[in-house]
Each structure stands twice: as structure tokens, then as C-alpha cells.
Amino acid sequence: MTSSGTARPGGRTARTAQAVFAATLAELSARPYADISIETIAARAGVHKTTVYRRWRAKPDLVVDALSNAADARIEVPDTGSVESDLRALSRAVQATLSSPEGAATTKALCAAALTSPEIAGVLARFWRIRLGAISTIVERAIGRGELPEDTDAAATFEAVSAPLYYRLLVTGAPLTVQDADRNAAAALVAARAGVFAPDVI
């Protein structure tokens, strides 16, 4: 065990943040967004509410950070040297997240609530802007390698990869398989190479 004199600087703060993030996701999957508060998250995390308020002044800020942290941990931006394998890895990561009980429950709860709550809609919009900023590097690298047309739109490409998975989760309720993920990635790549995702086409 690491003694307090040799603990990594910021280690306790990082552990507290992770506990708060985990509690936030647990709250999102367990109850309606409107019933969640900084206080309920702090209680679930086992920390005092002032500890949470020192870093996050409002619930939406905390929820965005918790979702982004989870996405960074579960859906890393791959860099395999090939856009084909990058998109396949990305699609599989989305499939794995949406197939997990926590990921499925959180996604369903937030998407349903966003239909009637401008605050939740704003939370999701902020989250997706952050995620797209990271994921767009896949398309940028592919363009640099000459694998995709220069005007390929990163957002449209990611939508083609992930939207069918969200459709299965939220609309049909069909199982999400690795084969589905691979098929989506392959179809998105064919479309991107054909120039379908150029801004003047979509």
C-alpha cells in the first residue's frame, strides 16, 4: 500500500472525482433526471456535497463531465494507421457501451428526458460536441493519409457509424452485436470514400 508520504499528487482528488462520476452515472440510470441533484450524487458517492460543489457549480456541468469521462474510458479514439480499422474499433466501442446495462439505461433515460427538458437537451448537445471534437481526429488522419476525400465531414461519418446502433437500442430494442458494429463501420467507410459525406452532399 502506498503511504501518505509517497502518494501521487492529486491522487485523492482523482479518486474522489471518479467516485463522483460513478455516482452520477448510477443516479442517471436509476432515477429521472429531474430527481437527481448534487446532493443525491454526493450521498451516493459517499462524499460531502461541498466537495462536489467546489468543482461543479451546477448539475449539468457535472453530468457532462461524468458522461465525457465515461466515454473517454470506454470509447477511446483508435489510431491503428488505417481508417478502416479505426472506424471498426470505434463502432465496436460504441456497441460495447450501449450493450452494457449502465450504458443502455443511461442513454435511454437521457434521450427520453431530452424530449421534454431543454436543460437535458443542452447537456447532451454539449457532450456530443466534446465527443465529436475527439473523434474527428480519425477522419482528419484519414484525409491526411489520402484514405478519404478532403471534404469528408467528420460528424456525418460518425453518425453513419453509430446511428444504427442507437436505433436498435432506442427504437427496435434489437440486440446489439459486434457484427452489427462491423457492418455499420464498413457501410460508413464505403459512403465516406464515395464522397457522400461532403458538406454539399449531406
Side-chain angles (χ1 to χ4, degrees):
M1 178 180 295
T2 303
S3 67
S4 59
T6 60
R8 179 174 58 85
R12 182 178 180 181
T13 298
R15 288 192 297 272
T16 298
Q18 290 303 316
V20 171
F21 288 153
T24 302
L25 295 179
E27 285 286 280
L28 288 170
S29 63
R31 66 176 76 193
Y33 181 87
D35 294 343
I36 299 170
S37 66
I38 295 292
E39 288 75 11
T40 65
I41 292 171
R44 186 182 285 267
V47 301
H48 197 277
K49 64 180 180 181
T50 56
T51 300
V52 182
Y53 275 117
R54 275 198 295 269
R55 181 165 179 179
W56 298 280
R57 295 185 178 183
K59 180 173 67 172
D61 298 328
L62 173 52
V63 170
V64 167
D65 280 358
L67 292 174
S68 298
N69 177 78
D72 288 340
R74 299 175 183 176
I75 308 178
E76 297 181 359
V77 180
D79 186 3
T80 65
S82 163
V83 66
E84 180 177 6
S85 51
D86 280 353
L87 291 180
R88 185 186 305 115
L90 177 64
S91 188
R92 288 185 177 188
V94 173
Q95 178 269 332
T97 296
L98 296 183
S99 296
S100 70
E102 181 183 83
T106 301
T107 301
K108 289 178 180 178
L110 287 174
C111 289
L115 296 175
T116 57
S117 170
E119 181 182 44
I120 303 176
V123 165
L124 289 179
R126 288 168 58 191
F127 167 71
W128 284 117
R129 282 197 299 271
I130 294 171
R131 289 307 300 161
L132 181 59
I135 293 170
S136 63
T137 58
I138 293 175
V139 171
E140 293 168 1
R141 289 194 303 256
I143 291 173
R145 294 191 297 257
E147 295 178 299
L148 293 177
E150 292 185 0
D151 54 358
T152 302
D153 184 83
T157 304
F158 178 59
E159 287 173 5
V161 169
S162 60
L165 296 172
Y166 282 90
Y167 178 81
R168 281 177 169 260
L169 174 69
L170 299 172
V171 179
T172 69
L176 301 175
T177 68
V178 172
Q179 290 73 25
D180 295 323
D182 290 351
R183 182 167 54 247
N184 297 343
L189 179 59
V190 170
R193 284 174 169 168
V196 172
F197 299 141
D200 59 344
V201 174
I202 58 175

